[in-house]
Each structure stands twice: as structure tokens, then as C-alpha cells.
Amino acid sequence: MQELLMGITGLTPQQVIMFVIGGILIYLAIAKDYEPLLLLPIGFGAILTNIPFSSAVGEEGFLTVLLHGGILNELFPILIFIAVGAMCDFTPLLRNPLMMVFGAAAQFGIFATIVIAALLGFDLKEAASIGIIGAADGPTTIYVATKFAQHLLGPLSVAAYSYMSLVPIIQPPVIKLLTTKKERMIRMPYREGKPVSKTVRILFPIVVTVVAGIIAPISVALIGSLMFGNLLREAGVVERLAKAAENELANLVTLLLGITIGSTMEASAFLNLKTLMVMGLGLVAFIFDTAGGVLLAKFLNLFLKEKINPAIGACGISAFPMSARVISKLVLKDDPHNFVIMHAIGANTSGQIGSIIAGGLVLALVPALLG
């Protein structure tokens, strides 16, 4: 009889709160369509791990096995990057290479937030893990967290994917605050020009991998997996592998990644002031990243004859293709005949690369600074 009641007697108020948090994540996924592919399994994983004496966690629990076999050894994030690479079309970026600068500028929030987090009392590794939320790139956040702050993996992952889903809510007010309506009405004619040759599309992932790898060798796993997926897409001779990476691999790893991340949201580790600070600083990082891209575009306009719509700068984050769609709709509200979607996609795809390189730089610089 005692064994039948131990679940009830062992239940704590903190675990009940985590049930509610898990339920909220599931609600947001289903009712609001906020990153449902990840928030739904994360929410359910949080419920599973907080059931008293849950057999899903622990030495023989399947979620703990997945945690050690897929998250802590960085396998799942790497596989996700292969899938993302297979989905990415870098052609708009190759047609307008200027958009690459926004992929770099939009990483400003990462380093600004690292400084702020350090000033608030987080150690440098924790601060770096928090700052990476600004990349708007869940797998990169998870990858850096497994290296620097495994104890914050739950809140970091929830913050990263929650704010990615809130791009339509976060970015427009920041852009409107930093730009005038006249600036948002700047038209950028899109010139098709010559088609990007297959040779260039094949060489691009190879060259990016080599260059980024030489600059930051620790980023090779991240950038290499992304570019390998893209090479599968562009090669044209391994269509089955490209489709498998884009569909089956992406779906399976996303499912396992989400529910495993949810299992790290144990009440005793999640319900504390540090978690609230992580969530707040993640929002700061997102806002600073958006502002960084917009302000760079405004600065470049001081020197360019053909002006850039500053809203495009906000697309330099890695939330692809959501950010491009959001900014395109925002611009169309001010001018129904101003179509900037192709420029926005170019900047957005550059953000995919920029966020990974930024993650690699953080991974390289933090140990060096700590000696």
C-alpha cells in the first residue's frame, strides 16, 4: 500500500509548479503555435521528470540515457545542424553578399549580454552560455551550454526556443523604436542578375567550413555539420540523403532533443532566482541583437548611394525563416508595394552562419580568458 501512495506522498509544491510550467509550454505549442516542434516535447519532458520517483529519469531512465547519449556529448545539436543545412538555400545571400554583414552585426547582443551577465554575478562560463541565447539559435545555445553550464541547460534551452517563437512579438517594437516610417519605406530593388552557378553553390559550404575552421577551430563541429547538410542539398547527386537529412533526421532528432531538454527541468534546479535572471537576460540578448543589425544598416546608409532598409538589419539573427517573414510583413504595412523578402532572406541565412561562428568564438575565447 505504501508503494502505491509514495507518488502522492512524495509530491512537492515545487513539482506541482513544474507540472504547470510544462502545461504552459504545451499550451503555447498547441494553442499559440509557438515553436510547437520543440516546446511541446520540452513541456512533456518537464512533466515526466518531475513526477516523484519517475522511472523516466535516473540511472536507468530513458531520458537520462538520452541526455548522456545525445545532449551532453553534443550529438543531437550536431545532427540538427546537418538537418538545418539541408534546408538552407544560400542563393539569396550569394546574390547579395552585402547581407553577410548583418549576420555579423546581429551577434552584438551575444557579447553585450555576456558583459551584463558577468556584472550581475554570473561566472564567465555561465555568462557566455546566457549570451548565446541572443544568437536565436537553439542548437548553438545547447551546444555551448553543454560545454560551459550544464546546470543551466534547462532554462537556457527554454529561453532560447521561447524567444525564437516570439520573434513576431519582440522584433517589430525594437525596429519601430530605432527607425522612422520613412526609413522603413526605403525600397531596395532586387536584381536577379546572373544565376548563381552550381559550382559556386557547391564551393560555398566547403570554403566557409575551411575559413571558419581556421579562424575558430573549435567551431568546426558546428559550422562543418551545417555546411555538410548544405553540401548534400547542393551536390545534386545524393538527393535521398539530402531529403533524409531535411525530413526524417530533422524530425527524429527534434523529437528526442525536445523531450530530453525537458528532462533537465527538475524543480530543484529550475525554480530559483537564477532561472528568472537567465530568462530576463535572454530577452535582453534578443533585443540587442535586433538593435545591432538595425543600427548597422542606419550607419551604412550614411555612405551608400542605394540605401538599405534598416529593418533588414534585424534579419541577421538565426531565426530562419521566421525573422525574414516578420520583417517583410512589417515593411509591407508601411508600404504595401515594398517587397524586401529576398533581401531579408539573404540577411537571415547569413545569420545562420554568423550565429555559429559567434558560438565558436565564444567557445574559443572564454577558456583563453580564464587561462
Side-chain angles (χ1 to χ4, degrees), residues 189-208:
Y190 183 73
R191 301 178 182 88
E192 283 284 346
K194 292 182 180 179
V196 179
S197 69
K198 183 175 180 179
T199 301
V200 171
R201 287 185 279 118
I202 289 174
L203 286 175
F204 179 74
I206 299 171
V207 172
V208 168

Side-chain angles (χ1 to χ4, degrees), residues 86 238-249:
V238 286
E239 188 174 347
R240 283 170 51 196
L241 294 182
K243 292 295 182 185
E246 185 177 350
N247 296 300
E248 289 84 1
L249 180 64

Side-chain angles (χ1 to χ4, degrees), residues 40-208:
L40 192 151
I42 287 175
F44 196 74
I47 293 172
L48 288 177
T49 198
N50 283 287
I51 294 174
F53 311 106
S54 171
S55 62
V57 293
E59 190 174 337
E60 297 181 356
F62 81 95
L63 290 177
T64 303
V65 172
L66 287 173
L67 179 65
H68 288 280
I71 301 290
L72 299 184
N73 64 359
E74 299 114 26
L75 177 62
F76 288 169
I78 294 300
L79 292 177
I80 283 289
F81 274 122
I82 294 175
V84 170
M87 298 176 194
C88 280
D89 181 5
F90 291 110
T91 304
L93 177 62
L94 294 170
R95 282 190 175 136
N96 191 0
L98 178 62
M99 294 297 108
M100 288 185 183
V101 300
F102 299 119
Q107 312 312 316
F108 165 73
I110 294 175
F111 300 99
T113 305
I114 290 174
V115 174
I116 295 172
L119 291 175
L120 289 175
F122 289 93
D123 65 47
L124 189 54
K125 288 187 174 182
E126 290 176 336
S129 301
I130 295 167
I132 285 293
I133 295 173
D137 189 337
T140 300
T141 300
I142 293 169
Y143 190 90
V144 173
T146 57
K147 294 282 190 183
F148 288 162
Q150 293 183 8
H151 59 291
L152 293 177
L153 188 57
L156 286 168
S157 302
V158 171
Y161 284 111
S162 296
Y163 292 137
M164 282 173 64
S165 68
L166 294 174
V167 163
I169 297 173
I170 297 171
Q171 285 202 308
V174 177
I175 296 168
K176 288 181 178 179
L177 182 66
L178 296 174
T179 62
T180 64
K181 183 176 181 179
K182 184 178 179 181
E183 286 177 319
R184 296 193 299 275
M185 291 177 68
I186 292 175
R187 295 191 177 187
M188 298 173 62
Y190 183 73
R191 301 178 182 88
E192 283 284 346
K194 292 182 180 179
V196 179
S197 69
K198 183 175 180 179
T199 301
V200 171
R201 287 185 279 118
I202 289 174
L203 286 175
F204 179 74
I206 299 171
V207 172
V208 168

